[in-house]
Amino acid sequence: MSGTYQLSPESSAFRANLASLVSPLRRVRSRTPFFRLAAHRIPTLWDLYRGLLRNSPTEQVKFRVRLAFRQNRYLTSPEETRKQLEQGYKYLDFFKKAMEGDTYRQEVMLRYSDMILLKREKSQMKRLMCEELDWQLERRNQPMMTGGFIRPTVLNIPLPRMKPQPQATSMIFVKRRMAREKRHFRRESFEDELQDLQIEADLEKRLQRTLSKPFPDVFSGDLHFEWTKPIYDAIAEIKATQSREYERATMPYPTELVQEVLEARREKHRNLARGRERERRGEMTKNALKRKRGTPPSWVIAAMSPKLRDMDKVSRSLSEVGYVALVKHRLGFKLKDPEAGLELGKEENRPLLDLTTEVIRTENKRRVAEERQMIQRLSRDRPHSHMGRRQGKE
């Protein structure tokens, strides 16, 4: 058993014959993807793609062919690619028959072209609407000057106050604050290293004085400067950065910035005035809704009567004429023209108007009393009717 095992000549011949029979049956797969092979690209581009474009009756159909090829250019599945190619060759046969004079297929192609045109117009309109909505959204969140200043600090120069504040400005403040803290900790670590080096240098000097044998210089002497120079340079850079921060904190307001902020402040007041003018004309603005929905503090409302609550609600309007002016006058508001908007009538007609008002109020009180009596009478009669129904059922 210790000898080397060797195949017999018959076994070797049998294995060689078996390999020659099986080798042609083994599947050989190319390492190159099918979509990079010339056998796929040349027929697809030169026969199918060019054939569809040449036989397309209108520009709309050509557009659809180009779009289909662009959408399917990234297919890597052989099965899915084969399905798309079979469908493409069916379309090519259809297009060729239409170009040869088939009336039915020509009508189908024209209807297909009209459908593509309508769909393109619809998609174009949808794209324009989406762009407009995106632009409005950007405008809604667009930073605007409020008319105030961001005072200069070690983190920023003088800046205009904006609402909402740009994210880039906020990130500048955050990153500079973090960098300032890191520089502070670095300077403390450098100062500790300098103390450690000084302690080592003093220790070497004491050892050199006390020992009889020469002690080599590692941290003292001329080598001490080599150890401390990089640290002093880093500390000098930190000090220069701090000096620039202090210059930033004491920087004066630029003239152009002051003019822009003041103009924004004036524009803000003009915008508010325009909004009040629109409200006086009857337009319901956002500020008007907010003001009308507002109420006095809770402890004030608790002490107010229902009539005073209604008057407070009416007085929140910007109007200064008619009933609103009368309510504001009774509540003690200062009006621009106290006599202009009360509409009390002429002096000679006021007695008649007062009499008419009294008659109307008396009639209203009488009708309210009659309605209350009717409600009370109906409430008394209703239990008897229910008792009668119950007795009839028994």
Side-chain angles (χ1 to χ4, degrees):
M1 296 297 292
S2 60
T4 304
Y5 177 76
Q6 294 181 354
L7 292 175
S8 61
E10 293 81 3
S11 178
S12 299
F14 175 76
R15 291 191 178 191
N17 185 25
L18 183 62
S20 63
L21 294 174
V22 173
S23 295
L25 302 178
R26 185 176 58 183
R27 182 183 178 185
V28 179
R29 300 188 64 176
S30 176
R31 295 181 179 273
T32 305
F34 74 93
F35 49 83
R36 293 182 181 176
L37 296 174
H40 168 74
R41 292 180 56 83
I42 292 175
T44 302
L45 294 177
W46 289 87
D47 294 340
L48 181 59
Y49 182 62
R50 290 185 66 188
L52 289 172
L53 291 179
R54 286 183 175 182
N55 293 280
S56 298
T58 61
E59 290 296 329
Q60 305 302 329
V61 179
K62 291 181 180 180
F63 166 79
R64 186 66 184 89
V65 171
R66 295 190 188 98
L67 180 62
F69 271 80
R70 281 197 299 268
Q71 290 175 349
N72 296 324
R73 65 182 299 182
Y74 299 108
L75 288 179
T76 57
S77 172
E79 293 296 329
E80 187 65 26
T81 305
R82 182 178 60 83
K83 293 179 182 179
Q84 297 296 332
L85 288 175
E86 290 177 355
Q87 186 177 6
Y89 280 108
K90 287 181 181 179
Y91 289 158
L92 180 59
D93 295 337
F94 193 92
F95 287 10
K96 287 182 178 179
K97 291 180 181 180
M99 293 296 292
E100 291 173 357
D102 192 333
T103 307
Y104 170 74
R105 286 178 170 79
Q106 289 178 357
E107 293 178 356
V108 172
M109 294 295 292
L110 292 177
R111 289 199 301 269
Y112 183 58
S113 177
D114 295 339
M115 183 182 68
I116 294 173
L117 179 60
L118 292 175
K119 192 171 182 179
R120 290 185 67 182
E121 292 176 354
K122 183 178 179 181
S123 62
Q124 175 73 6
M125 181 59 64
K126 184 177 180 180
R127 183 180 63 83
L128 293 176
M129 291 176 63
C130 292
E131 291 179 356
E132 181 66 21
L133 291 175
D134 293 340
W135 181 80
Q136 290 182 4
L137 183 60
E138 292 178 0
R139 293 285 297 176
R140 184 182 304 173
N141 299 326
Q142 181 180 5
M144 299 179 63
M145 289 187 179
T146 62
F149 293 93
I150 298 179
R151 298 183 179 277
T153 62
V154 293
L155 303 177
N156 61 278
I157 61 175
L159 294 172
R161 179 72 65 181
M162 306 187 78
K163 183 179 180 181
Q165 182 169 292
Q167 187 177 6
T169 305
S170 303
M171 294 306 299
I172 288 174
F173 297 162
V174 172
K175 290 183 178 180
R176 285 181 177 176
R177 186 179 296 110
M178 295 172 61
R180 180 178 171 83
E181 293 178 357
K182 289 181 181 179
R183 286 195 298 270
H184 176 71
F185 293 132
R186 284 182 59 200
R187 182 169 181 176
E188 288 184 349
S189 65
F190 289 153
E191 292 176 353
D192 294 339
E193 291 175 359
L194 288 175
Q195 292 180 1
D196 294 340
L197 290 173
Q198 187 64 37
I199 292 172
E200 293 290 340
D202 295 341
L203 177 61
E204 287 183 358
K205 290 179 181 179
R206 288 196 299 268
L207 290 174
Q208 290 174 358
R209 287 195 300 267
T210 56
L211 294 177
S212 59
K213 296 181 180 181
F215 190 82
D217 293 336
V218 179
F219 295 101
S220 60
D222 296 335
L223 297 176
H224 184 73
F225 177 75
E226 297 181 2
W227 282 101
T228 57
K229 184 178 183 305
I231 300 177
Y232 280 122
D233 292 343
I235 293 176
E237 292 180 0
I238 295 175
K239 289 182 178 179
T241 305
Q242 290 178 348
S243 64
R244 289 195 296 269
E245 290 178 349
Y246 297 143
E247 291 177 0
R248 187 186 299 138
T250 57
M251 182 176 179
Y253 291 92
T255 307
E256 296 180 356
L257 176 63
V258 174
Q259 293 177 357
E260 291 179 0
V261 171
L262 294 180
E263 180 61 28
R265 190 177 300 177
R266 288 189 290 267
E267 179 61 26
K268 181 179 180 180
H269 292 298
R270 287 195 294 265
N271 189 25
L272 291 175
R274 288 193 295 267
R276 295 191 187 97
E277 186 63 28
R278 293 199 307 271
E279 292 176 16
R280 291 190 185 98
R281 292 198 300 266
E283 182 179 347
M284 190 58 63
T285 61
K286 184 177 179 180
N287 290 334
L289 289 174
K290 184 178 180 181
R291 185 177 59 256
K292 288 185 177 182
R293 290 168 183 167
T295 56
S298 57
W299 60 88
V300 177
I301 295 177
M304 293 172 65
S305 62
K307 184 177 181 181
L308 284 178
R309 293 182 185 179
D310 294 338
M311 294 175 68
D312 176 77
K313 188 175 181 180
V314 172
S315 66
R316 293 182 180 276
S317 174
L318 284 180
S319 175
E320 293 187 356
V321 295
Y323 179 67
V324 178
L326 182 62
V327 170
K328 289 184 177 181
H329 183 73
R330 290 176 180 176
L331 292 177
F333 281 64
K334 292 183 179 180
L335 305 179
K336 292 182 179 179
D337 191 356
E339 297 294 335
L342 295 182
E343 297 183 359
L344 299 177
K346 296 181 179 180
E347 292 289 342
E348 60 272 14
N349 296 332
R350 287 184 182 180
L352 179 60
L353 294 174
D354 294 339
L355 180 60
T356 305
T357 303
E358 187 65 27
V359 171
I360 293 173
R361 290 177 178 175
T362 305
E363 180 64 20
N364 290 337
K365 291 180 180 179
R366 186 186 64 80
R367 292 182 180 181
V368 170
E370 288 181 357
E371 290 179 358
R372 289 179 179 176
Q373 291 177 3
M374 185 181 297
I375 292 172
Q376 292 176 0
R377 186 171 61 255
L378 292 174
S379 62
R380 287 195 301 268
D381 295 342
R382 188 169 298 174
H384 297 290
S385 61
H386 288 296
M387 291 296 295
R389 292 179 182 176
R390 292 180 181 177
Q391 291 177 1
K393 290 181 180 181
E394 293 176 356

